[in-house]
Coordinates of all heavy atoms in Angstrom, one line a residue:
M83 N 58.8 102.7 127.8 CA 57.8 102.7 126.8 C 57.9 101.4 125.9 O 56.9 100.7 125.6 CB 57.9 103.9 125.9 CG 56.8 104.2 124.9 SD 56.9 105.9 124.3 CE 58.5 105.9 123.4
A84 N 59.2 101.1 125.5 CA 59.4 99.9 124.7 C 59.1 98.7 125.5 O 58.5 97.7 124.9 CB 60.9 99.9 124.2
F85 N 59.4 98.6 126.8 CA 59.2 97.4 127.6 C 57.7 97.2 127.7 O 57.2 96.1 127.5 CB 59.8 97.6 128.9 CG 59.5 96.4 129.8 CD1 60.3 95.2 129.7 CD2 58.5 96.4 130.8 CE1 60.0 94.1 130.5 CE2 58.2 95.3 131.6 CZ 59.0 94.2 131.5
A86 N 56.9 98.3 128.0 CA 55.5 98.1 128.1 C 54.8 97.6 126.8 O 54.0 96.7 126.8 CB 54.8 99.4 128.6
G87 N 55.2 98.2 125.7 CA 54.7 97.8 124.4 C 55.0 96.4 124.1 O 54.1 95.6 123.6
T88 N 56.3 96.0 124.3 CA 56.7 94.6 124.0 C 56.0 93.6 124.9 O 55.6 92.5 124.4 CB 58.2 94.5 124.1 OG1 58.9 95.5 123.4 CG2 58.7 93.1 123.6
F89 N 55.8 94.0 126.1 CA 55.2 93.1 127.1 C 53.7 92.8 126.7 O 53.3 91.7 126.7 CB 55.2 93.7 128.5 CG 54.6 92.8 129.6 CD1 55.3 91.7 130.0 CD2 53.4 93.1 130.1 CE1 54.7 90.9 131.0 CE2 52.8 92.3 131.1 CZ 53.5 91.2 131.5
I90 N 53.0 93.9 126.3 CA 51.6 93.7 125.9 C 51.6 92.9 124.6 O 50.7 92.0 124.5 CB 51.0 95.1 125.6 CG1 50.9 95.9 126.9 CG2 49.6 95.0 125.0 CD1 50.5 97.3 126.8
A91 N 52.5 93.2 123.7 CA 52.5 92.4 122.4 C 52.8 91.0 122.6 O 52.2 90.1 122.0 CB 53.5 93.1 121.4
A92 N 53.8 90.7 123.5 CA 54.2 89.3 123.8 C 53.0 88.5 124.3 O 52.9 87.2 124.0 CB 55.3 89.3 124.7
I93 N 52.1 89.1 125.0 CA 51.0 88.4 125.6 C 49.9 88.2 124.5 O 49.3 87.1 124.3 CB 50.4 89.1 126.8 CG1 51.5 89.0 127.9 CG2 49.1 88.5 127.3 CD1 51.1 89.8 129.2
L94 N 49.5 89.3 123.8 CA 48.5 89.3 122.9 C 48.8 88.5 121.6 O 47.9 88.0 120.9 CB 48.1 90.7 122.4 CG 47.5 91.6 123.5 CD1 47.2 93.0 123.0 CD2 46.3 91.0 124.2
A95 N 50.1 88.3 121.3 CA 50.5 87.6 120.2 C 50.4 86.1 120.3 O 50.3 85.3 119.3 CB 52.0 87.9 119.8
V96 N 50.2 85.6 121.6 CA 50.1 84.2 121.8 C 48.9 83.6 121.2 O 49.0 82.6 120.4 CB 50.2 83.9 123.3 CG1 49.9 82.4 123.6 CG2 51.5 84.2 123.9
P97 N 47.7 84.1 121.4 CA 46.5 83.6 120.8 C 46.6 83.7 119.2 O 46.1 82.8 118.5 CB 45.3 84.4 121.3 CG 45.9 85.6 121.9 CD 47.3 85.2 122.4
F98 N 47.2 84.8 118.7 CA 47.3 84.9 117.3 C 48.2 83.8 116.8 O 48.0 83.2 115.7 CB 47.9 86.2 116.9 CG 46.9 87.3 116.8 CD1 46.7 88.2 117.9 CD2 46.1 87.5 115.7 CE1 45.8 89.2 117.8 CE2 45.2 88.5 115.6 CZ 45.0 89.4 116.7
G99 N 49.3 83.5 117.5 CA 50.2 82.4 117.1 C 49.5 81.0 117.1 O 49.7 80.3 116.1
F100 N 48.7 80.7 118.0 CA 48.0 79.5 118.1 C 47.0 79.4 116.9 O 46.8 78.4 116.3 CB 47.3 79.2 119.4 CG 48.2 78.6 120.4 CD1 48.9 79.4 121.3 CD2 48.4 77.3 120.5 CE1 49.7 78.9 122.3 CE2 49.2 76.7 121.5 CZ 49.9 77.5 122.4
L101 N 46.3 80.5 116.7 CA 45.3 80.5 115.6 C 45.9 80.4 114.2 O 45.3 79.9 113.3 CB 44.4 81.8 115.7 CG 43.5 81.9 116.9 CD1 42.8 83.3 117.0 CD2 42.4 80.8 116.9
A102 N 47.1 80.9 114.1 CA 47.8 80.9 112.8 C 48.6 79.6 112.5 O 49.1 79.5 111.4 CB 48.7 82.1 112.7
S103 N 48.7 78.7 113.5 CA 49.5 77.5 113.3 C 48.6 76.4 112.8 O 47.5 76.2 113.3 CB 50.1 77.1 114.6 OG 49.1 77.0 115.7
K104 N 49.0 75.7 111.8 CA 48.2 74.7 111.1 C 48.0 73.5 112.0 O 47.0 72.8 111.9 CB 48.9 74.3 109.8 CG 49.0 75.4 108.8 CD 49.7 74.9 107.5 CE 49.8 76.0 106.5 NZ 50.5 75.6 105.2
N105 N 49.0 73.1 112.8 CA 48.9 71.9 113.6 C 48.0 72.1 114.8 O 47.8 71.1 115.5 CB 50.2 71.4 114.0 CG 51.0 72.4 114.8 OD1 50.7 73.6 114.7 ND2 52.0 72.0 115.5
M106 N 47.5 73.3 115.1 CA 46.7 73.5 116.3 C 45.2 73.8 115.9 O 44.3 73.6 116.6 CB 47.2 74.7 117.1 CG 48.6 74.3 117.7 SD 48.4 73.0 119.0 CE 50.1 72.4 119.0
I107 N 45.1 74.4 114.7 CA 43.7 74.9 114.3 C 43.4 74.1 113.0 O 44.1 74.1 112.0 CB 43.7 76.4 114.0 CG1 44.0 77.2 115.2 CG2 42.3 76.8 113.5 CD1 43.1 77.0 116.4
A108 N 42.3 73.3 113.1 CA 41.8 72.5 111.9 C 41.1 73.4 110.9 O 41.1 73.1 109.7 CB 40.9 71.4 112.4
S109 N 40.5 74.5 111.3 CA 39.7 75.3 110.4 C 40.6 76.2 109.6 O 41.4 77.0 110.1 CB 38.8 76.3 111.2 OG 38.2 77.2 110.4
K110 N 40.6 75.9 108.3 CA 41.5 76.7 107.3 C 41.1 78.1 107.3 O 41.9 79.0 107.1 CB 41.4 76.1 105.9 CG 42.1 74.7 105.8 CD 42.1 74.2 104.4 CE 42.8 72.9 104.3 NZ 42.8 72.4 102.8
A111 N 39.8 78.4 107.4 CA 39.3 79.8 107.3 C 39.9 80.6 108.5 O 40.3 81.7 108.3 CB 37.8 79.8 107.3
L112 N 39.8 80.0 109.7 CA 40.3 80.7 110.9 C 41.8 80.8 110.8 O 42.4 81.9 111.2 CB 39.9 79.9 112.1 CG 40.2 80.6 113.5 CD1 39.5 81.9 113.6 CD2 39.7 79.6 114.6
N113 N 42.5 79.8 110.3 CA 43.9 79.8 110.2 C 44.4 80.9 109.2 O 45.3 81.7 109.5 CB 44.4 78.4 109.7 CG 45.9 78.3 109.8 OD1 46.6 78.4 108.8 ND2 46.4 78.0 111.0
L114 N 43.7 81.0 108.1 CA 44.1 82.0 107.1 C 43.8 83.4 107.5 O 44.5 84.3 107.3 CB 43.4 81.7 105.8 CG 43.9 80.5 104.9 CD1 43.1 80.3 103.7 CD2 45.4 80.8 104.5
S115 N 42.6 83.6 108.2 CA 42.2 84.9 108.7 C 43.2 85.4 109.7 O 43.6 86.6 109.8 CB 40.8 84.9 109.2 OG 40.7 84.0 110.4
S116 N 43.7 84.5 110.6 CA 44.7 84.9 111.6 C 46.0 85.3 110.9 O 46.6 86.3 111.3 CB 45.0 83.8 112.5 OG 43.8 83.4 113.2
K117 N 46.5 84.5 109.9 CA 47.7 84.9 109.2 C 47.6 86.2 108.4 O 48.5 87.0 108.4 CB 48.1 83.8 108.2 CG 48.6 82.5 108.9 CD 49.0 81.5 107.9 CE 49.5 80.2 108.6 NZ 50.0 79.2 107.7
W118 N 46.4 86.4 107.8 CA 46.2 87.7 107.1 C 46.1 88.9 108.1 O 46.6 90.0 107.7 CB 44.9 87.6 106.3 CG 45.0 86.7 105.1 CD1 46.1 86.2 104.5 CD2 43.9 86.1 104.4 NE1 45.8 85.4 103.4 CE2 44.5 85.3 103.3 CE3 42.5 86.2 104.5 CZ2 43.7 84.6 102.4 CZ3 41.7 85.5 103.6 CH2 42.3 84.7 102.5
S119 N 45.6 88.7 109.2 CA 45.6 89.7 110.2 C 47.0 90.1 110.7 O 47.3 91.3 110.8 CB 44.8 89.3 111.5 OG 43.4 89.0 111.1

Side-chain angles (χ1 to χ4, degrees):
M83 189 166 64
F85 179 81
T88 307
F89 182 75
I90 294 171
I93 295 174
L94 296 181
V96 173
F98 278 99
F100 275 95
L101 291 174
S103 55
K104 295 179 181 179
N105 57 341
M106 294 293 156
I107 299 298
S109 174
K110 289 185 178 180
L112 187 58
N113 190 261
L114 286 175
S115 62
S116 300
K117 289 183 177 181
W118 288 343
S119 298

